[in-house]
Amino acid sequence: MTITVFDAHTLPADDNVNPYAFSVDLQGQWFLQKGKMIAYYGQISFDGIGHGPLDGLVASSFHSPLHASDWVVASGKGRLLLADRAFDVNSYDLDDGNLTIRSGNLLAFDPRLSLKQSIIPGFVTLIGTGKFVAASNGQVHFVEPPVRVDPQALVGWADCPSPCHHYDHQYLRGFLGGVRHLTGIGGASGEEHQFEFTGSGTVLIQSTEKLIAEQATGAVPDEQGVPGGSPRWSR
Amino acid sequence: MQGAKVLAVDLTGDAVRAKNGSMVAYEGTMTFKKLTGGGNGLRGVVTRRLTGEQMAVMEVTGTGTCYFADEARDISLVPLHGDTLHVEASNLLCTEAGLRTGTTFTGLRGASQGNGLFTTTVEGSGTVAILSTGPAIGLRVTPQTPLQVDPGAYVAHSGRLTQQLQTGVTFRTVIGEGSGEAFQIRFEGEGLVYVQPSERDTVGGRL
């Protein structure tokens, strides 16, 4: 295959270069996950979050304090190419909306959006209006609830309530299924457990069941009523 | 060409040089001969041993079609018209027999990439097949628009380019607040740089 050649002017502005690389027309600042920049034209500097001059920006659009060491801010003017281990990348526009995504899949976002740690461990939520770039293992498909999704295929969801677990009770309660489930002998089909989505919105699924490694989202505040927190004075 | 991960080469008595062991199938009659020293004879043996830019190459001759592939990596064809292509030995799949290969010193860039201080050059006129993880992207460099590339995403370059290592290492990197983009290679001049949409694990990338 011959290689498509781009220069500083023909690189797409805020669009995909190919299914695996995305070009950002940077005018100002963007948040990036560490190490996802592959090349750039122009004057761009990269700074770890938590530096003095970026405090204001971080305060307005970054609300995942313990997750901050995985992110950098690119500031300047130019074209910035992003990619992630040759996974498929896509950009999405949020219009006064919200989207929750697996932390490892999010590559970059426009600081007009704000990033928050989701109440679901391992996920982050983006709120507001703006563009973000996310990776998936294989192409992303959009489905609408009601839907049940394999846990490994789930990338994220937008606008609908958080999912709940669904177990195939019929199978687990049946004699053969029960024995298999308890002993592991004979193997389980691997499809007895799903995430169930209801309400209205969009669910994003990827076309493989191989996950992209998660990024630590940090521990949650240690207080009563916080899922995952360990309250000292409960019981 | 068969998709982007298998290279089909039609041979009519002529020869190509390919990465050792990259043949997956062939039709017709082919002979495979291991070349020592990356196909540069005794001088090649010595320089490649000295520089560590090891390249196991075989020469394929015959008539028919020969298919090459390497770990389902993407293959791209780069035409050369008397110019020089600089490419990492690990990214080189196949060259036409008329092309000359050699090694050059790359300086600090190689060190930051973990690929050693030397790189392979391919000179002459003909077609070169290069390997990349994900389809390669060509980026043109002009005197007005220099280009910065992450060392882990760099695959190859051609043209009259000067490269220098640019660092963003500050005291914050030392205290563990690095940007993850501590090193970049800056290309200036006139030419083409090929990058892949993924990064090798490099020393610089972990800072």
Side-chain angles (χ1 to χ4, degrees):
Chain A
M1 213 162 95
T2 45
I3 301 175
T4 328
V5 174
F6 296 93
D7 63 30
H9 308 290
T10 58
L11 262 184
D14 291 336
D15 204 355
N16 272 66
V17 179
N18 65 29
Y20 314 98
F22 186 86
S23 162
V24 176
D25 184 16
L26 188 72
Q27 309 278 348
Q29 291 167 317
W30 261 66
F31 280 96
L32 314 181
Q33 215 181 84
K34 255 185 199 179
K36 306 303 182 203
M37 181 278 288
I38 56 165
Y40 67 89
Y41 286 107
Q43 289 296 322
I44 299 175
S45 66
F46 299 88
D47 287 293
I49 285 181
H51 294 191
L54 295 171
D55 267 357
L57 178 73
V58 171
S60 63
S61 45
F62 203 87
H63 301 268
S64 189
L66 295 158
H67 184 41
S69 64
D70 298 320
W71 289 85
V72 286
V73 177
S75 354
K77 264 174 92 79
R79 293 282 159 94
L80 180 62
L81 274 181
L82 304 173
D84 186 10
R85 291 159 287 170
F87 286 127
D88 286 66
V89 285
N90 275 302
S91 72
Y92 305 84
D93 287 297
L94 270 185
D95 182 18
D96 196 14
N98 70 81
L99 178 129
T100 304
I101 186 166
R102 227 174 254 285
S103 58
N105 292 57
L106 182 63
L107 245 67
F109 65 95
D110 182 329
R112 286 182 298 155
L113 287 169
S114 64
L115 178 77
K116 306 195 183 205
Q117 198 177 345
S118 171
I119 200 168
I120 318 242
F123 285 81
V124 288
T125 302
L126 286 162
I127 300 174
T129 302
K131 202 182 260 299
F132 67 94
V133 182
S136 58
N137 203 346
Q139 279 175 315
V140 163
H141 303 275
F142 299 90
V143 287
E144 282 184 11
V147 65
R148 289 179 189 152
V149 178
D150 188 285
Q152 287 88 50
L154 179 68
V155 172
W157 62 91
D159 300 327
C160 54
S162 296
C164 41
H165 294 281
H166 174 88
Y167 297 95
D168 193 342
H169 236 69
Q170 207 75 46
Y171 180 80
L172 290 178
R173 250 187 6 193
F175 176 72
L176 207 56
V179 168
R180 282 182 164 188
H181 180 74
L182 287 173
T183 60
I185 296 169
S189 74
E191 309 289 5
E192 306 88 5
H193 170 223
Q194 299 100 32
F195 291 154
E196 179 161 329
F197 288 89
T198 55
S200 63
T202 314
V203 179
L204 281 67
I205 54 175
Q206 61 182 13
S207 37
T208 64
E209 296 193 357
K210 213 171 160 200
L211 289 172
I212 294 179
E214 242 167 52
Q215 286 283 345
T217 48
V220 291
D222 198 12
E223 55 182 285
Q224 205 171 23
V226 175
S230 52
R232 279 145 298 192
W233 16 259
S234 66
R235 268 185 287 183
Chain B
M1 205 63 201
Q2 299 265 308
K5 306 204 189 248
V6 178
L7 174 74
V9 179
D10 287 320
L11 291 175
T12 48
D14 45 343
V16 290
R17 282 174 184 168
K19 187 172 172 163
N20 226 8
S22 62
M23 185 276 287
V24 288
Y26 69 90
E27 293 159 17
T29 48
M30 298 281 163
T31 51
F32 301 90
K33 194 175 118 207
K34 168 93 199 287
L35 297 178
T36 36
N40 302 106
L42 191 60
R43 192 162 162 267
V45 175
V46 176
T47 51
R48 287 196 180 271
R49 188 55 56 81
L50 283 177
T51 57
E53 183 80 1
Q54 301 279 358
M55 189 167 74
V57 176
M58 58 182 181
E59 189 172 61
V60 187
T61 37
T63 39
T65 309
C66 194
Y67 299 89
F68 299 100
D70 188 57
E71 290 178 358
R73 282 200 280 170
D74 285 81
I75 300 165
S76 314
L77 295 178
V78 180
L80 286 184
H81 310 285
D83 41 347
T84 304
L85 181 78
H86 296 255
V87 59
E88 288 303 322
S90 56
N91 290 100
L92 186 61
L93 176 68
C94 191
T95 58
E96 281 187 57
L99 293 166
R100 292 180 305 282
T101 50
T103 44
T104 53
F105 181 68
T106 58
L108 269 175
R109 173 178 68 71
S112 72
Q113 247 173 296
N115 272 350
L117 292 166
F118 295 86
T119 191
T120 297
T121 54
V122 185
E123 292 172 77
S125 295
T127 304
V128 185
I130 58 172
L131 291 162
S132 55
T133 308
I137 300 165
L139 295 170
R140 189 170 297 285
V141 179
T142 64
Q144 292 78 38
T145 55
L147 176 74
Q148 283 76 241
V149 176
D150 188 290
Y154 166 86
V155 175
H157 77 268
S158 64
R160 287 189 309 282
L161 289 175
T162 55
Q163 42 179 313
Q164 68 194 63
L165 193 72
Q166 175 172 313
T167 71
V169 180
T170 61
F171 76 97
R172 295 184 198 279
T173 313
V174 183
I175 60 170
E177 261 201 8
S179 62
E181 311 293 3
F183 292 100
Q184 289 127 30
I185 324 166
R186 185 178 169 90
F187 287 96
E188 283 172 21
E190 190 86 52
L192 269 176
V193 178
Y194 300 97
V195 294
Q196 60 183 9
S198 66
E199 299 186 351
R200 284 180 287 263
D201 193 19
T202 61
V203 179
R206 274 180 253 128
L207 292 179

